[in-house]
Amino acid sequence: MADELKDYAGGWITEKKGTGVPTFLKFAYIAIMAGCVGYLVIYMNGEINHEDRGALVRQFNSMTGSNDGFMYVVAGLAAIYALILVMFAFKNKHED
């Protein structure tokens, strides 16, 4: 039985050889990455529509300026990473 187990990270993680990524985890990758990319796009300039601090955020943005292009690049890089992660997770190949 010991030969059927594989250790990772110096023995911190142990799994059976040939075990795939669980389905719920594959879909969790999609949900988490969609939330991250969405958060980057929605709040790239701060919470400007909040009833209490929105005015302060808008004033801060007017004094410091914003760089929406850079934030779109960061969100795009996160989206590319998400696509690569999902492709890797849904790929059935498992090397031991």
Side-chain angles (χ1 to χ4, degrees), residues 60-78:
F60 178 79
N61 287 346
S62 69
M63 299 304 284
T64 59
S66 65
N67 195 348
D68 290 347
F70 175 72
M71 288 303 295
Y72 282 119
V73 168
V74 170
L77 289 173

Side-chain angles (χ1 to χ4, degrees), residues 15-95:
E15 75 173 7
K16 279 186 176 180
K17 288 186 177 182
T19 303
V21 177
T23 305
F24 78 91
L25 188 56
K26 293 177 183 181
F27 289 104
Y29 291 150
I30 296 170
I32 292 167
M33 291 306 296
C36 291
V37 172
Y39 183 86
L40 284 172
V41 172
I42 292 170
Y43 292 111
M44 75 171 66
N45 291 318
E47 201 170 5
I48 57 176
N49 295 323
H50 191 272
E51 62 184 49
D52 294 335
R53 60 184 168 268
L56 295 173
V57 173
R58 285 190 296 275
Q59 184 178 7
F60 178 79
N61 287 346
S62 69
M63 299 304 284
T64 59
S66 65
N67 195 348
D68 290 347
F70 175 72
M71 288 303 295
Y72 282 119
V73 168
V74 170
L77 289 173
I80 291 169
Y81 172 76
L83 289 174
I84 292 170
L85 177 69
V86 169
M87 286 176 17
F88 179 76
F90 278 88
K91 186 170 56 168
N92 289 331
K93 186 177 178 184
H94 189 279
E95 297 175 6

